[in-house]
Structure formats: C-alpha cells, structure tokens
Amino acid sequence: MISIQESYVDLIYLREYLPGEYLPQKNLTKKAAVLFLHGYPGSQKNYDIAEHLAFQGFHCYVMHYRGSWKSKGDYSLLSIYEDVHRVIHFLRQKGFENKAISLIGSSWGGFVALEILAKYPDLCKVILLAPFINIGAHEGDLSDVSDFLAAVTRPAIKNYEKEKLFSDLKVVQKEFNPWHKLKEIEGKNVLIIHGSVDQLCPIAYSRQLKFQFKTEARLYELQNQDHFLSTREILYEFCLTFLTEP
C-alpha cells in the first residue's frame, strides 16, 4: 500500500505519494524522490503517474504553484521558480540529496524543469512530458505566447491580467530561459516524451531540443498522441524504466 498526504510548504500546496513501509522496492537501490512540475494551470497535474511510481517505491511529490488550485497567494510565472526552490529545500530537509531527486515536468513545467536542472545539474533525472520550450527571441513571439496563455488563464487563475503576464514573460525570456544553458547539461539524464500530433507544443521543438545538450537526450515520440498524452500505461512504463536505469 501507499499513503497519500497533503501539506503546505509556506504557500505551496504539496500532495505526497509515499510508499508503504513493507512495499517491495525491487527497482530501487536507495531512497529516491520525484518532484512533479505541472504545466500552466488548467493542464494535467499527473497524479496518476505519481501514484504509479509510489507503488514502485518512489517518494512522489506533486506541487501546485503559488496561486493555483490549492496553493495560496497570487500566481506569477516568476514566482514558480522560487516555489520550486523552496520545495527542493523541503525535500533536502527530508533527507533527499540532489542526486536522489528527479523532476517530471509537463508542458510549461518542462520549461521550468530545464531551468531548475541548469541550476542544480546534480539532480538525478529529468523527464519532460510534451514540454513547452520555444519561448521565442523577439517581442512578437512573446506576444503570441502571452495571447495563448491569457486565453487559458481563467478560471484557473485569478487576478493575472494579460499585461502583467506579458511583462513577466519578458523577464522569463531574459533571466529564466534554459535554452542557452543546455550545452552545460548532460542530456543522458533527460528523457523527452512527446505526442506526434501535439498542436499546443509542436513536437518539432522537442526534436531540436534533444540535440542541444552536452550529450544527446532521449526522445520518445508517441504516435497519434496530442498534448495530453492519453495513453497513460505507456507513460508509466517509460517513466519507471528511465528512473530506475543506472
């Protein structure tokens, strides 16, 4: 059996999926944590993957960024990074070293996961599910991203107007864009899973992304799958296999 607990790290809601004391841990040689970074609020939180991995012995933590769903405070694209740093510090206090912590980031959470990996290159593994990566290099590109995000903001997020969103995107592009840092990151510790017919975050960007690291990342293309990767059993298998590889 596993246990599911809810807690807060400051303003941040955290759902913990913890393996039971007598649950066999056949695939693990040491205690390991997986932190889930969801996409822009309104998309999946991947509770199902966390539950599946917990049954395999992983300690899984699904956070809600500040101001989204069950978390308190006001949402901002900029505060996400501080939130993730706080939760990683929380995991360290629980006894997990960086090398025992893996990230699973979906959509915008994949973009954030790469920036966090650049900050903490000694993290164990990173899995990117249909990652958003193309923030663009020009203000016109940012305007398109801003229009898209603003369209899906309500009702998941309150009091985050398009003007503030666009202003925050410009800061993200300048200060938190991982694209130019990838050559310093070992791609062998990165798995990308992307649907071949994703219209929200086209797979073409993931095909480019896999070659941007110091060593090539791994890309699994799921045929006829869209942004939400509905064939969940395949995801469970790919995630578990990658996380338990030496």
Side-chain angles (χ1 to χ4, degrees):
M1 297 294 293
I2 66 172
S3 65
I4 302 175
Q5 303 173 10
E6 296 179 307
S7 61
Y8 279 87
V9 178
D10 298 324
L11 301 173
I12 308 158
Y13 170 83
L14 201 62
R15 181 177 291 191
E16 307 175 31
Y17 292 78
L18 307 176
E21 181 178 355
Y22 301 106
L23 190 68
Q25 300 187 21
K26 300 177 182 178
N27 296 305
L28 297 178
T29 58
K30 60 182 179 181
K31 187 177 177 181
V34 181
L35 175 60
F36 287 75
L37 308 181
H38 63 74
Y40 199 75
S43 62
Q44 292 169 314
K45 308 176 191 73
N46 292 308
Y47 291 147
D48 58 330
I49 301 177
E51 181 176 326
H52 177 80
L53 292 176
F55 273 111
Q56 304 302 318
F58 287 90
H59 295 245
C60 295
Y61 300 85
V62 182
M63 62 180 291
H64 294 178
Y65 308 135
R66 185 186 325 182
S68 60
W69 293 304
K70 291 189 176 183
S71 285
K72 304 172 184 178
D74 295 323
Y75 181 85
S76 164
L77 292 175
L78 302 181
S79 64
I80 291 175
Y81 300 94
E82 180 182 350
D83 293 347
V84 177
H85 291 314
R86 287 185 180 183
V87 174
I88 288 177
H89 178 68
F90 169 80
L91 295 180
R92 289 197 192 110
Q93 290 179 318
K94 281 186 165 289
F96 295 102
E97 299 178 349
N98 283 2
K99 62 184 179 180
I101 300 172
S102 295
L103 304 177
I104 296 182
S106 58
S107 194
W108 187 271
F111 184 84
V112 174
L114 287 175
E115 177 65 20
I116 298 302
L117 180 59
K119 177 75 173 179
Y120 305 113
D122 55 339
L123 291 173
C124 183
K125 301 279 183 70
V126 171
I127 298 176
L128 309 174
L129 304 179
F132 173 90
I133 188 62
N134 184 44
I135 196 170
H138 306 289
E139 191 159 305
D141 299 327
L142 288 184
S143 181
D144 292 341
V145 175
S146 179
D147 288 344
F148 169 72
L149 294 180
V152 298
T153 290
R154 292 186 177 88
I157 306 171
K158 298 178 181 179
N159 303 318
Y160 197 40
E161 300 302 326
K162 182 178 176 180
E163 294 75 16
K164 180 66 168 85
L165 196 160
F166 183 69
S167 174
D168 288 350
L169 272 174
K170 289 195 288 187
V171 177
V172 169
Q173 181 192 53
K174 182 178 180 180
E175 299 183 15
F176 299 104
N177 188 348
W179 189 264
H180 303 298
K181 308 170 186 176
L182 299 180
K183 288 299 183 184
E184 304 302 318
I185 297 175
E186 286 291 350
K188 63 184 179 65
N189 296 324
V190 177
L191 169 64
I192 310 164
I193 304 175
H194 213 131
S196 65
V197 293
D198 188 337
Q199 299 298 311
L200 297 180
C201 298
I203 194 172
Y205 296 116
S206 284
R207 290 170 178 158
Q208 296 176 32
L209 176 62
K210 66 175 289 189
F211 297 109
Q212 301 305 310
F213 300 90
K214 182 187 297 185
T215 54
E216 186 177 324
R218 193 180 313 177
L219 171 62
Y220 291 156
E221 300 188 16
L222 302 187
Q223 297 303 310
N224 301 314
Q225 294 288 298
D226 62 14
H227 189 62
F228 300 102
L229 303 174
S230 57
T231 309
R232 309 303 284 180
E233 292 294 335
I234 294 177
L235 286 184
Y236 303 155
E237 179 183 349
F238 285 165
C239 289
L240 177 61
T241 299
F242 183 70
L243 291 173
T244 53
E245 287 177 353

